[in-house]
Amino acid sequence: MSGTTDVERVRRWRLLLGSAAEGMGELGEDDQRRDSALTGLYGGGAGARTVGDAPDGGKRGAGLGSSAPVLHRWLGDVRKYFPASVVQVMQKDAVEKLGLRQLLLEPELLSSVEPDVSLVGTLVSLSSAIPARTRETARAVVRKVVEDIERRLADRLTAAVHGAVDHSQRTRRPRPADVDWPTTIRANLRHYQPDQRTLVVETLSGRKRRSRSAALRDVILLVDQSGSMADSVVYSAVMGASLASLKSIDTKLVVFDTEVVDLTEALDDPVDLLFSTQLGGGTDINRAVAYGQSLVRRPTDTVMVLISDLYEGGVARELQRRVRELVASGVTVVVLLALADSGTPAYDHELAAQLSELGAPAFACTPDRFPDLLATALRREDVATWAEQSGIPVGR
């Protein structure tokens, strides 16, 4: 038997037996993630991991019960590292073994859970397994979180965008309602008549209103929907819906894994949008950026925000070429390694550094900073400088 075959046999036994076989050899990074996913659901004891073993058989011991907030990441790993037939079995076992069945089957229990972004990610990941009688409750839980995000961030985002792009042109012949009185008074102080205590206004100053029929800037959001990006998908959906309500911005929202789906038409309802996503699976960032590139109509008035951990399953060199072309054409390209409240995300440091060098700064961003980030990009100011001044490391 060849050496390659021997190595593959050891690898498979190592994955099958779990931690009991750790002395058999080291696992690569992808196999470590597979091993972690299996251990989380079936345990890491001496018994072989046989899908379907009875709980009292001693061969399975769930390890995800105490880490429900990150269950959606486990679901993403399962979809990424195992074939579809195995994914279906593991998800079914997760629902049965980790106490999710009761959560999914009982609307009363689900409605009593304190909702947060992580729970939304989990519900969206398991949406196909949610029975009809619980579906409306699940949507209500998701909507509650969406509305909370909107209350915290929508007004700030709207104000930041208006401040960046909705300024109208100065004019010396403004309509009465558009006169800028403080500026007008300062400009005419030399005409003040002390004896009459009157200011003679020779020159008016104001703003000429722009037509609201056309957007002033284009924003393209490309959102990685792999399992590890679940929180970012939730925030992106809400931010995208808020931007779509502004006439001064033409917003496109595209989600991707190995496929690319344009969800712009669903932006009027972020809850529907979230349930249209398919969290988990592989990643083809180059394909998503290629689609985003096809949406660019006026490069110098376009901001493209790529939200991804940059673990590219496609062609990284081709991705770099596309980003270089976009930046050279005048598009402002920003790479967010995460749009979430969590700490420093795991991401491809090498690719992040390469994209930053091409003029597409890559860094993680919390949702509360996103309005200021977007305003900086819309004003065509240096986003990398903004990030560094905000204490955010770029492309490292």
Side-chain angles (χ1 to χ4, degrees):
M1 186 176 293
S2 68
T4 301
T5 303
D6 289 341
V7 170
E8 178 62 17
R9 173 179 289 185
V10 170
R11 169 183 169 272
R12 292 186 178 188
W13 275 109
R14 171 64 180 83
L15 287 171
L16 180 65
L17 296 175
S19 60
E22 287 181 355
M24 294 180 66
E26 296 294 326
L27 294 176
E29 182 177 347
D30 283 354
D31 281 341
Q32 288 179 24
R33 297 289 288 271
R34 291 185 180 92
D35 185 62
S36 178
L38 288 166
T39 299
L41 182 56
Y42 302 119
R49 293 160 165 164
T50 304
V51 175
D53 282 345
D56 58 359
K59 295 184 180 180
R60 297 197 305 183
L64 290 175
S66 62
S67 56
V70 294
L71 177 59
H72 56 271
R73 296 188 180 184
W74 178 84
L75 289 165
D77 281 348
V78 167
R79 290 189 178 94
K80 181 175 182 179
Y81 293 110
F82 296 93
S85 58
V86 176
V87 169
Q88 293 173 5
V89 173
M90 294 182 71
Q91 286 191 161
K92 181 180 178 181
D93 284 348
V95 170
E96 295 284 352
K97 189 169 184 60
L98 304 182
L100 296 178
R101 170 169 288 277
Q102 188 177 3
L103 181 67
L104 295 179
L105 291 178
E106 299 296 334
E108 297 80 8
L109 180 61
L110 180 58
S111 63
S112 69
V113 174
E114 184 63 32
D116 59 17
V117 173
S118 295
L119 177 60
V120 169
T122 299
L123 290 174
V124 171
S125 297
L126 292 169
S127 58
S128 61
I130 298 176
R133 68 187 297 261
T134 316
R135 200 161 295 149
E136 286 306 310
T137 305
R139 290 180 64 86
V141 170
V142 172
R143 187 169 297 282
K144 183 175 181 180
V145 174
V146 166
E147 290 175 350
D148 177 64
I149 296 172
E150 288 175 333
R151 280 192 296 272
R152 290 190 292 117
L153 298 174
D155 288 345
R156 286 186 53 203
L157 184 61
T158 299
V161 169
H162 281 318
V165 304
D166 209 28
H167 287 308
S168 50
Q169 295 177 336
R170 287 281 180 182
T171 178
R172 295 293 183 88
R173 300 178 62 184
R175 294 181 297 182
D178 298 330
V179 174
D180 181 347
W181 285 111
T183 301
T184 295
I185 292 171
R186 286 194 299 270
N188 291 275
L189 282 176
R190 64 181 180 277
H191 305 304
Y192 180 66
Q193 306 294 321
D195 54 333
Q196 299 181 26
R197 303 181 67 180
T198 300
L199 180 68
V200 178
V201 177
E202 292 188 355
T203 303
L204 289 173
S205 180
R207 294 188 180 276
K208 182 179 179 181
R209 294 188 181 183
R210 290 184 185 270
S211 170
R212 301 287 289 175
S213 61
L216 304 178
R217 298 284 192 279
D218 297 334
V219 174
I220 301 171
L221 301 176
L222 304 176
V223 186
D224 185 342
Q225 61 175 350
S226 59
S228 61
M229 300 296 293
D231 287 8
S232 297
V233 172
V234 175
Y235 281 114
S236 298
V238 180
M239 299 291 193
S242 295
L243 289 173
S245 69
L246 305 178
K247 293 182 179 179
S248 56
I249 296 291
D250 183 70
T251 304
K252 307 289 186 186
L253 188 140
V254 178
V255 298
F256 65 93
D257 40 38
T258 53
E259 300 295 326
V260 177
V261 182
D262 193 328
L263 294 179
T264 301
E265 295 301 318
L267 278 171
D268 58 334
D269 188 337
V271 177
D272 283 344
L273 190 155
L274 284 169
F275 279 104
S276 298
T277 62
Q278 298 291 326
L279 288 172
T283 310
D284 191 340
I285 306 171
N286 174 57
R287 187 173 183 180
V289 173
Y291 181 79
Q293 193 172 21
S294 73
L295 298 177
V296 176
R297 303 172 301 162
R298 39 184 187 173
T300 57
D301 288 329
T302 299
V303 175
M304 180 181 291
V305 183
L306 170 62
I307 304 174
S308 173
D309 55 17
L310 298 181
Y311 287 118
E312 174 64 308
V315 184
R317 182 169 296 180
E318 186 71 7
L319 169 63
Q320 293 174 53
R321 180 186 66 79
R322 292 188 187 281
V323 170
R324 184 184 297 108
E325 289 176 353
L326 285 163
V327 172
S329 71
V331 176
T332 299
V333 182
V334 181
V335 180
L336 297 186
L337 306 168
L339 179 60
D341 293 307
S342 53
T344 304
Y347 64 94
D348 187 321
H349 290 255
E350 182 178 357
L351 187 53
Q354 291 167 345
L355 296 182
S356 293
E357 290 175 1
L358 293 175
F363 52 89
C365 180
T366 55
D368 65 302
R369 283 181 164 175
F370 184 75
D372 292 337
L373 161 64
L374 186 59
T376 300
L378 291 170
R379 289 194 297 264
R380 303 189 186 94
E381 296 175 358
D382 191 324
V383 173
T385 298
W386 172 87
E388 291 172 356
Q389 290 176 346
S390 301
I392 302 173
V394 177
R396 300 174 186 172

